[in-house]
Amino acid sequence: MPNAFYGKLKNNSIYLDKNETSHLKIVRKNIGDTIDVFTGDGNIYNCIIESIKKKESILSIINTIKFKKEFNPNINLYVGMSKWEKMREIIEKAVELRVNSINIFKGKKSQLSYKNIEKFKKIIIEACKQSYLPLFPNLNFIEFQEIPIIDSIVFDFNNTYDFKSEIKKINKSINLIFGPDMGFSNEEKQFFSEKNFKITNLGNTVFRIETAVTYVLSTINYEFNRLNPIK
Amino acid sequence: MPNAFYGKLKNNSIYLDKNETSHLKIVRKNIGDTIDVFTGDGNIYNCIIESIKKKESILSIINTIKFKKEFNPNINLYVGMSKWEKMREIIEKAVELRVNSINIFKGKKSQLSYKNIEKFKKIIIEACKQSYLPLFPNLNFIEFQEIPIIDSIVFDFNNTYDFKSEIKKINKSINLIFGPDMGFSNEEKQFFSEKNFKITNLGNTVFRIETAVTYVLSTINYEFNRLNPIK
């Protein structure tokens, strides 16, 4: 499958920024060529290149194809702020494994505090282009206290609930909650336990946070045939 | 869980090399302290540090604990040579997800040719130390023609067999076969098809090779409760 470009829709035309314009040049696209563009809204815009300037390119839309895939159940990922390389891998994998939203919070044991959400959006855009996902997952910075209780599973070393049975019970939507790379603090654990969150773990192994996230996302996609295998 | 050290067993003592000796110093271990050492043979050697030199340390064994976990089914991973960063991630994830062997071949479309197996062994040792696995997976460089036919699944875009039903059918052992990052060549695809290999794919998504490997390893661990959740 061909990779796509990222652009913005304005007055029925598509605009590529400086970065995407350099990408156009790298792959030797010229005026008159057609390319696929994602804006993140779920459409694949098949476009013809009208002009290539230094800082932007302007394209006219030939055809708009609605991305028909719905991924069920809905997956909302909640992750505590961790080292940048881990955050990057988690976001890339979350896009490849088709999560619906990525929600990032600062945990008590987070060693970094990210302020700039744009840095994370860029990773999402690149991952969506590469893995051909025209509907970008929502990205939010949230407070720890905003983590929802209903339809949620917290991953921690405690094992109140059995992982596999909880996965099988997922209905329309699930919130998957992972601590930062350094884990949850005692206060946070107490918060989950007082509010009666479902807490589970992934078995008798030592996973890094990024592996744990990919593991859980893989099992849900598998259990519910969520990626709709090509027939 | 504490991380472990890597050492070699000789005349009933454990020897740490230069690299592991620096690691000892970094974590401020001294003569008389006890540490856990893996040699890769499946034992956890609980040792007391007898001497720390520039290039080696010598330890005496206090207690040998046999690692009792068996991971069923047996998973043998076959991967085509790919970019080094991808190989590294695949091996790290394979250790965390407890594969039994890693078998690396040069595919027709492999852009790199690795000769030095020691480089790969080092990744395995570090990953086993970090994820606390005293029984190191076997590592082999093999020829493409040596890929076994029996109990094998090839992952490719073709979809002769349904992924989920093939996973559920796994009995005692499974060989998972992934092409290099650039995919299988036409000759290789023909080889699989002529020999009646089972070929499947992972659904209507675009996975990078390292994500595909982690995805499949996760689903097998999940399906067979292979990681034995802590009760």
Side-chain angles (χ1 to χ4, degrees):
Chain A
M1 219 178 285
N3 287 356
F5 290 83
Y6 168 66
K8 283 184 177 154
L9 181 67
K10 215 159 55 186
N11 305 325
N12 228 19
S13 286
I14 294 281
Y15 290 76
L16 305 191
D17 67 8
K18 195 178 163 193
N19 186 38
E20 293 294 312
T21 298
S22 349
H23 183 198
L24 263 192
K25 291 174 187 165
I26 289 164
V27 296
R28 296 165 192 273
K29 293 286 180 190
N30 291 310
I31 291 170
D33 288 345
T34 59
I35 57 168
D36 285 346
V37 178
F38 300 162
T39 64
D41 66 359
N43 290 316
I44 301 161
Y45 294 96
N46 189 234
C47 298
I48 188 158
I49 305 171
E50 298 288 352
S51 73
I52 303 180
K53 294 176 197 163
K54 268 197 178 167
K55 293 192 178 171
E56 70 172 7
S57 303
I58 306 172
L59 324 176
S60 63
I61 301 166
I62 309 169
N63 198 4
T64 304
I65 304 150
K66 194 154 171 48
F67 181 66
K68 280 185 291 295
K69 281 169 221 128
E70 269 192 47
F71 301 105
N72 293 308
N74 201 76
I75 302 178
N76 302 304
L77 181 63
Y78 291 79
V79 188
M81 290 182 183
S82 305
K83 284 197 198 81
W84 176 244
E85 275 314 306
K86 289 174 186 282
M87 296 307 292
R88 171 196 287 277
E89 183 179 326
I90 289 168
I91 292 172
E92 287 173 349
K93 294 286 197 280
V95 167
E96 285 182 88
L97 292 158
R98 306 323 199 198
V99 304
N100 301 84
S101 77
I102 301 171
N103 307 278
I104 298 169
F105 62 88
K106 183 163 159 59
K108 277 269 188 325
K109 292 172 97 173
S110 289
Q111 293 174 314
L112 287 158
S113 182
Y114 299 104
K115 306 287 181 212
N116 179 6
I117 200 166
E118 293 306 318
K119 213 171 135 183
F120 290 84
K121 279 197 184 145
K122 277 190 187 153
I123 307 280
I124 291 191
I125 291 169
E126 283 310 309
C128 287
K129 283 163 56 183
Q130 280 207 16
S131 78
Y132 213 79
L133 182 64
L135 185 60
F136 298 175
N138 288 321
L139 175 69
N140 309 294
F141 276 9
I142 63 159
E143 297 296 323
F144 177 79
Q145 289 75 13
E146 294 176 72
I147 296 174
I149 300 175
I150 310 257
D151 294 330
S152 292
I153 304 177
V154 177
F155 294 90
D156 195 21
F157 286 114
N158 310 34
N159 191 18
T160 323
Y161 289 86
D162 178 60
F163 172 62
K164 201 168 173 179
S165 11
E166 289 310 314
I167 295 295
K168 283 182 187 284
K169 267 187 233 161
I170 295 171
N171 192 357
K172 283 194 185 147
S173 182
I174 186 73
N175 307 311
L176 305 172
I177 301 156
F178 294 88
D181 43 0
M182 304 308 284
F184 290 114
S185 73
N186 287 336
E187 299 97 303
E188 288 165 342
K189 288 181 192 196
Q190 208 181 328
F191 172 86
F192 290 132
S193 135
E194 278 169 7
K195 304 266 180 191
N196 289 317
F197 274 83
K198 286 186 178 178
I199 305 168
T200 185
N201 72 45
L202 299 175
N204 205 343
T205 182
V206 182
F207 278 144
R208 287 173 303 174
I209 162 86
E210 59 275 32
T211 308
V213 172
T214 308
Y215 182 87
V216 175
L217 296 177
S218 298
T219 62
I220 298 174
N221 277 308
Y222 169 80
E223 181 63 44
F224 297 97
N225 274 313
R226 191 168 171 276
L227 302 174
N228 311 313
I230 300 158
K231 292 291 170 199
Chain B
M1 219 178 286
N3 287 355
F5 291 81
Y6 168 67
K8 283 186 176 153
L9 180 69
K10 215 160 56 186
N11 305 327
N12 229 19
S13 286
I14 294 280
Y15 289 77
L16 306 191
D17 66 9
K18 196 179 162 192
N19 185 40
E20 294 294 313
T21 298
S22 347
H23 183 198
L24 263 191
K25 291 174 188 166
I26 289 165
V27 297
R28 296 165 191 274
K29 292 287 180 186
N30 292 310
I31 289 169
D33 289 344
T34 57
I35 56 169
D36 285 345
V37 178
F38 299 162
T39 65
D41 66 358
N43 290 315
I44 301 162
Y45 294 95
N46 188 235
C47 297
I48 188 159
I49 304 170
E50 299 288 350
S51 74
I52 303 181
K53 295 177 198 163
K54 268 197 177 166
K55 293 192 178 171
E56 70 170 11
S57 303
I58 306 171
L59 325 175
S60 62
I61 301 165
I62 308 168
N63 200 3
T64 304
I65 305 150
K66 196 155 167 45
F67 180 68
K68 279 187 288 302
K69 281 169 220 127
E70 269 191 47
F71 301 105
N72 293 310
N74 201 77
I75 301 179
N76 303 304
L77 181 63
Y78 291 79
V79 188
M81 291 180 181
S82 305
K83 285 197 198 79
W84 176 246
E85 275 315 307
K86 288 174 186 281
M87 296 307 293
R88 172 196 286 277
E89 183 180 327
I90 289 167
I91 293 171
E92 286 173 352
K93 294 286 197 280
V95 167
E96 284 181 89
L97 292 158
R98 307 321 199 199
V99 304
N100 301 83
S101 76
I102 300 171
N103 307 279
I104 297 168
F105 62 89
K106 184 163 161 53
K108 276 272 187 324
K109 291 170 96 174
S110 289
Q111 292 173 316
L112 288 157
S113 182
Y114 299 104
K115 307 286 181 211
N116 180 5
I117 201 165
E118 292 306 317
K119 214 172 135 184
F120 290 84
K121 277 195 185 147
K122 277 189 186 153
I123 307 280
I124 291 191
I125 291 169
E126 283 310 309
C128 287
K129 282 163 57 182
Q130 280 207 16
S131 79
Y132 214 77
L133 181 64
L135 185 59
F136 298 176
N138 288 322
L139 175 69
N140 308 295
F141 276 8
I142 63 157
E143 297 296 323
F144 176 79
Q145 290 74 13
E146 293 176 74
I147 295 173
I149 301 175
I150 310 256
D151 294 330
S152 292
I153 304 178
V154 177
F155 294 90
D156 195 21
F157 286 113
N158 309 36
N159 191 18
T160 323
Y161 289 87
D162 177 63
F163 173 61
K164 200 167 175 182
S165 10
E166 289 309 312
I167 295 296
K168 285 185 186 280
K169 266 186 233 162
I170 294 172
N171 193 356
K172 283 190 184 150
S173 182
I174 185 72
N175 306 311
L176 305 172
I177 301 155
F178 294 88
D181 43 2
M182 305 307 286
F184 289 113
S185 72
N186 287 335
E187 299 95 303
E188 286 165 344
K189 288 181 190 195
Q190 207 181 330
F191 173 86
F192 290 132
S193 135
E194 278 169 10
K195 304 268 182 191
N196 290 316
F197 274 84
K198 286 185 179 178
I199 304 167
T200 186
N201 73 45
L202 299 174
N204 205 344
T205 183
V206 182
F207 279 145
R208 287 175 301 175
I209 164 87
E210 58 276 32
T211 309
V213 171
T214 308
Y215 182 88
V216 175
L217 295 177
S218 298
T219 63
I220 299 174
N221 278 307
Y222 168 80
E223 180 64 44
F224 297 97
N225 274 311
R226 193 168 169 272
L227 301 174
N228 311 312
I230 299 156
K231 292 290 170 197

